[in-house]
Amino acid sequence: MEQQVATFTVKKGLAQMLKGGVIMDVVTPEHARIAEDAGAVAVMALERVPADIRAYGGVARMSDPELILKIMDAVTIPVMAKCRIGHFVEAQILEAIGVDYIDESEVLTPADEQHHINKHLFKVPFVCGARNLGEALRRIGEGAAMIRTKGEAGTGDVVEAVRHARAVLGEIRRLQNMPEEEVMAFAKEIGAPYELVMETRSLGRLPVVNFAAGGIATPADAALMMQLGMDGVFVGSGIFKSGNPAKRAAAIVKAVTHYNDPYILAEVSRNLGEPMVGRQISSIPEAELIAGRGW
Amino acid sequence: MVGKLLRIGVLALQGDFAEHIAMLRQLGVEAVEVRLAEQLASLDGLIMPGGESTTFGKLATDFGLIEPLREFGRQKPIWGTCAGAIFLSKDAHRPQPLLGLMDITVERNAFGRQVASFEVDLDVPALKAVSDEDLPFHAIFIRAPLIESVGEGVEVLARLEDGRIVAAQQGRLLATSFHPELTGDPRFHQYFLRLVDNPT
């Protein structure tokens, strides 16, 4: 009766428990408590939300462990934190302080322009962003136990999250409909491990939980991503950059649970105050876009 | 399970309700998602899945589900896994909405943070009621709660090797700290369906 820890089953299992829920970016312990009280299933502990990272410029790094620890003390729900793409020492530090999930995130400035972290080496599970099926399966191949769309963080514009969700789900539908002899060429075309492509084909979905992220700002945005087939949503700047964070947070939580009920969606969307201002993605110069980070 | 088709609800406010539904359908019973009080009507039993118990509490309060769920549990079987077990309990050592149906006290995140989540084989003698094979049950614990103490009339179904309680039953109510829905092993679901089909 030996206990086994850090198996892939328990890593992806935590993400399964988060399904149908909202994971919120928070920058203080007070924010974290507001998020928990609003019904968040987890929080992402950060020094700056993506909208401020964009505005601030410079190199965006892992947050101060002191801040993350204070947020871990403030709530009973799981706490996630971000490290830079490829920065496995930031990941080691986050594992050492005991965060529940690491987001190897394009929102921070990448530390390696060719390689992501070998996530199999860690006991803590990882979530990674993806724009399409190939990218998602490469991350899972490296050990990611949860996937999210990249979207375009810090914009409040949902268009990229929709594009990435449709890409992943559309490619899975295509994969399921092709004869088996075409699968190897498909795996080559999308640059994904063949075994994971075969597993995805037989499951009809990614082998791990798949959340929406990047630009979700309203209850309707969140429900849109759920109706498209995502398992849950991350909301970054959309809550604490809005006029009434507590109310908006609670409304987005309700919208994710009742994503198929337009009457409840109408009710929870009323009187939420100002949404985050937002930036239309088509107005942002190519060089400032972050979804292209990661390979 | 001969005769009428059982209709089992799975609380679908948040969490891994889809895994429970898949297991129930595999066992040939009708499984439906429950998000609103009126969806409790005509159910023979209810499963409350894994997820975040604070989220369940918040949504159940805001959508007026607390009293209807209590009323349901006074008459029909309910099984809570992990967060569902916390929600079923009468005490979780912190102020959060609970159904208080089952006379158990739970400790949330009793094993620590996610890196301490684990899998282990458990002895569950009660499962002999649904299977001739006396095999251990492979249990998956994810930021799991412990059942710290049980009241009178609550039967302990499983313990860890060190004696700590991880599964219990009080008449028609069932609580497990772990997630049978994440394994391929249907015995706990069969055990619950037996409770539904043969009310005590």
Side-chain angles (χ1 to χ4, degrees):
Chain A
M1 296 227 291
E2 193 76 6
Q3 290 189 5
Q4 299 167 281
V5 296
T7 59
F8 198 65
T9 299
V10 301
K11 287 177 173 179
K12 79 173 189 185
L14 178 55
Q16 286 172 279
M17 299 312 139
L18 303 175
K19 284 194 298 180
V22 183
I23 300 168
M24 302 181 191
D25 279 4
V26 298
V27 299
T28 65
E30 292 68 40
H31 279 184
R33 277 188 286 266
I34 291 170
E36 185 176 49
D37 288 345
V41 290
V43 293
M44 178 74 69
L46 286 162
E47 271 167 332
R48 275 188 280 276
V49 295
D52 288 337
I53 292 175
R54 280 184 181 282
Y56 196 82
V59 177
R61 309 179 179 88
M62 173 186 82
S63 297
D64 184 339
E66 177 68 14
L67 171 75
I68 299 168
L69 284 163
K70 281 188 178 146
I71 288 170
M72 287 163 59
D73 274 345
V75 292
T76 60
I77 55 179
V79 175
M80 302 184 167
K82 289 184 195 287
C83 71
R84 284 179 266 178
I85 290 173
H87 204 316
F88 50 85
V89 174
E90 284 186 349
Q92 290 164 6
I93 291 168
L94 293 174
E95 179 173 84
I97 64 172
V99 301
D100 295 298
Y101 241 92
I102 295 177
D103 183 1
E104 186 184 18
S105 178
E106 70 284 357
V107 169
L108 305 182
T109 309
D112 189 323
E113 293 193 332
Q114 282 183 314
H115 306 291
H116 284 250
I117 294 170
N118 178 0
K119 294 165 274 285
H120 293 294
L121 297 178
F122 289 78
K123 281 193 262 181
V124 61
F126 282 74
V127 54
C128 288
R131 288 163 298 175
N132 51 51
L133 182 60
E135 200 171 8
L137 295 181
R138 286 194 294 280
R139 298 295 83 80
I140 296 167
E142 293 157 358
M146 179 178 184
I147 293 294
R148 57 172 173 75
T149 61
K150 284 183 169 171
E152 189 61 33
T155 61
D157 188 346
V158 79
V159 66
E160 289 301 302
V162 169
R163 189 193 317 281
H164 301 159
R166 283 201 184 276
V168 170
L169 300 170
E171 284 164 317
I172 292 172
R173 286 189 287 268
R174 200 177 128 212
L175 171 62
Q176 283 190 287
N177 288 325
M178 65 179 61
E180 191 165 336
E181 66 269 20
E182 293 180 9
V183 174
M184 183 59 88
F186 178 78
K188 182 186 170 197
E189 173 196 323
I190 66 169
Y194 176 73
E195 289 70 23
L196 289 175
V197 173
M198 285 302 285
E199 190 182 348
T200 302
R201 174 180 157 94
S202 77
L203 292 171
R205 53 160 296 137
L206 288 182
V208 302
V209 166
N210 184 19
F211 267 46
I216 293 149
T218 67
D221 288 348
L224 171 68
M225 299 313 297
M226 294 299 290
Q227 286 196 26
L228 282 173
M230 295 287 108
D231 294 321
V233 303
F234 284 86
V235 185
S237 320
I239 289 170
F240 289 98
K241 284 282 158 193
S242 75
N244 189 339
K247 199 169 177 190
R248 182 165 295 265
I252 293 176
V253 168
K254 290 174 188 168
V256 167
T257 295
H258 295 282
Y259 66 92
N260 255 333
D261 188 329
Y263 296 95
I264 292 178
L265 295 175
E267 191 56 38
V268 303
S269 298
R270 291 169 66 175
N271 280 320
L272 294 183
E274 281 297 306
M276 72 177 281
V277 174
R279 276 182 81 181
Q280 203 179 323
I281 291 168
S282 53
S283 72
I284 302 175
E286 184 92 19
E288 287 178 35
L289 295 176
I290 57 184
R293 297 168 172 175
W295 4 98
Chain B
M1 271 176 288
V2 203
K4 69 167 182 137
L5 186 65
L6 293 178
R7 193 173 149 86
I8 307 295
V10 182
L11 192 66
L13 296 173
Q14 186 271 318
D16 72 335
F17 52 88
E19 284 79 349
H20 276 293
I21 287 173
M23 185 74 98
L24 290 168
R25 289 188 180 151
Q26 205 183 308
L27 293 172
V29 302
E30 192 183 346
V32 295
E33 295 177 2
V34 174
R35 292 183 175 83
L36 297 168
E38 56 261 35
Q39 293 162 337
L40 290 168
S42 81
L43 296 179
D44 298 304
L46 179 76
I47 296 178
M48 303 196 297
E52 281 302 320
S53 62
T54 50
T55 305
F56 292 6
K58 165 77 179 160
L59 287 164
T61 303
D62 288 356
F63 286 96
L65 266 163
I66 300 276
E67 273 314 315
L69 284 170
R70 284 181 181 147
E71 192 49 39
F72 187 90
R74 284 184 209 114
Q75 297 163 32
K76 305 244 175 91
I78 301 186
W79 171 24
T81 59
C82 195
I86 296 168
F87 199 40
L88 199 52
S89 75
K90 64 160 200 201
D91 186 1
H93 294 307
R94 82 183 276 288
Q96 67 180 72
L98 300 172
L99 296 183
L101 281 167
M102 200 169 164
D103 192 5
I104 56 174
T105 299
V106 298
E107 187 193 350
R108 291 184 55 202
N109 303 332
F111 301 91
R113 304 200 73 95
Q114 168 62 13
V115 289
S117 292
F118 64 98
E119 303 178 50
V120 73
D121 284 343
L122 292 178
D123 252 339
V124 191
L127 293 180
K128 278 180 212 146
V130 294
S131 167
D132 296 335
E133 287 176 286
D134 190 14
L135 296 171
F137 193 88
H138 189 70
I140 298 165
F141 293 80
I142 295 169
R143 282 175 49 96
L146 265 176
I147 301 172
E148 206 174 61
S149 62
V150 301
E152 236 173 280
V154 181
E155 185 192 350
V156 173
L157 298 186
R159 295 176 186 270
L160 294 172
E161 228 170 13
D162 60 14
R164 291 184 291 175
I165 304 166
V166 291
Q169 181 181 348
Q170 181 177 12
R172 74 187 85 83
L173 304 172
L174 189 61
T176 55
S177 303
F178 48 93
H179 296 281
E181 75 279 12
L182 296 187
T183 65
D185 190 339
R187 285 177 293 163
F188 254 103
H189 287 79
Q190 289 168 324
Y191 186 80
F192 178 67
L193 292 178
R194 210 168 152 270
L195 281 183
V196 175
D197 220 14
N198 309 286
T200 44

